[in-house]
Amino acid sequence: MIKVSVVGAKGRMGGNVVNAVNDASDTELALALDAGDDLTRITPDNTDVAVEFTVPSVSLGNVLTLIGQGVDVVVGTTGWTDEKLDQVRAALAQAPRPNQSVFIAPNFAISAVLTDHFAGLAAKYFESAEVVEMHHPDKVDAPSGTAIHTAHTIADARKAAGLAPVPDATETDGGSRGQTVDGIHVHAVRLRGLNAHEEVLLGNPGEQLVIRSDCFDRGSFMPGVLLAVRKVSAHPGVTIGLNNLLDL
Ligand SMILES: NC(=O)c1ccc[n+]([C@@H]2O[C@H](COP(=O)([O-])OP(=O)(O)OC[C@H]3O[C@@H](n4cnc5c(N)ncnc54)[C@H](O)[C@@H]3O)[C@@H](O)[C@H]2O)c1
């Protein structure tokens, strides 16, 4: 059994993680902590892996504390910068246990991560490529970080294959062609009833390939979180992105 403590356990994601850890047959809940709780209660005696889903302003401090406590950490909180990651790497270099691990995933949804991966594989075979992301209207940023990442993945694959820019005769736009990310148009739809969805449209003369991911609720993240809990200790140091754990 993998002993898991959850930090941010009263939050929407943390609450789902508590339930997922209780429900899985190979994990057991150690501590469920939230704001105001003492994270130094988490030790290697009671915890193998700490899962951190809080808010960007406190996440770095929590992760540094957890590293100091000698446990592996899985992080879902967003807002990581190169500077913050450097601090995590420096803390790991001084960690109490050898080969301690921190795993950070900007997106734990396996379908979203595979959409990005498959788009990267397919991109070089198509003349045109566009990304459409669709979310609930309460999301404050647009386009989504995941869609921006997918656009870069497609652009990198096109550049590596020596493809010309995507064809587009548009002369006057007015915003309807979306945001151009690394030469790839990215469109954002905000619609009540949706959760988190992404389509990659790839076009050639006479054919289209659509790669689509639909995350219907927060449960969509739990298989990815549990995968990270199971695999984090096999990846010493800092690992970023669920794609690194999927044997792709
Ligand atoms: N990586 C992913 O796939 C993914 C998916 C969804 C959300 N997120 C991110 O996860 C984070 C949490 O999202 P949420 O919807 O659960 O937010 P939320 O506001 O529902 O929960 C955050 C929780 O953190 C707690 N908290 C605040 N400060 C704390 C501290 N110092 N120590 C311990 N707990 C503290 C809060 O009390 C709250 O219970 C956000 O950054 C969000 O963007 C990531």
Side-chain angles (χ1 to χ4, degrees):
M1 292 294 260
I2 307 170
K3 292 172 283 180
V4 182
S5 285
V6 180
V7 179
K10 291 182 181 166
R12 287 166 291 194
M13 288 298 289
N16 274 276
V17 175
V18 166
N19 292 337
V21 166
N22 278 328
D23 290 347
S25 57
D26 59 344
T27 56
E28 65 183 10
L29 187 67
L31 297 168
L33 304 181
D34 203 272
D37 292 332
D38 179 6
L39 298 195
T40 64
R41 288 170 58 201
I42 296 176
T43 70
D45 286 338
N46 56 38
T47 299
D48 300 308
V49 180
V51 178
E52 208 269 4
F53 273 100
T54 60
V55 289
S57 57
V58 304
S59 186
L60 172 65
N62 285 347
V63 171
L64 296 181
T65 300
L66 293 166
I67 292 170
Q69 290 304 108
V71 297
D72 292 333
V73 190
V74 168
V75 187
T77 312
T78 45
W80 289 90
T81 61
D82 289 343
E83 194 184 27
K84 289 182 177 180
L85 292 172
D86 283 345
Q87 291 189 56
V88 173
R89 289 189 186 96
L92 278 174
Q94 316 265 318
R97 270 195 311 112
N99 298 324
Q100 258 180 252
S101 313
V102 172
F103 175 79
I104 303 172
N107 194 330
F108 273 104
I110 290 174
S111 61
V113 174
L114 288 179
T115 294
D116 191 275
H117 179 72
F118 294 149
L121 290 179
K124 69 177 178 182
Y125 301 107
F126 291 87
E127 193 179 334
S128 291
E130 306 220 358
V131 179
V132 186
E133 58 94 324
M134 295 152 278
H135 282 84
H136 58 84
D138 304 320
K139 184 173 176 60
V140 293
D141 57 319
S144 70
T146 299
I148 290 172
H149 191 276
T150 303
H152 285 301
T153 300
I154 293 168
D156 289 348
R158 291 178 65 93
K159 281 178 207 156
L163 263 60
V166 293
D168 183 6
T170 309
E171 287 178 4
T172 51
D173 175 344
S176 56
R177 294 287 292 116
Q179 180 174 327
T180 308
V181 177
D182 211 356
I184 305 298
H185 291 271
V186 181
H187 310 268
V189 176
R190 295 291 173 265
L191 205 69
R192 186 65 72 200
L194 294 181
N195 185 42
H197 316 259
E198 184 175 303
E199 273 190 5
V200 177
L201 311 179
L202 299 158
N204 267 339
E207 64 170 347
Q208 180 184 218
L209 172 65
V210 179
I211 305 167
R212 179 172 172 126
S213 145
D214 291 288
C215 295
F216 300 113
D217 57 35
R218 286 189 184 80
S220 62
F221 300 116
M222 294 308 121
V225 171
L226 289 174
L227 179 75
V229 163
R230 292 176 184 122
K231 292 202 168 185
V232 59
S233 62
H235 295 263
V238 179
T239 304
I240 300 164
L242 201 64
N243 53 313
N244 293 300
L245 305 186
L246 290 173
D247 298 327
L248 297 173

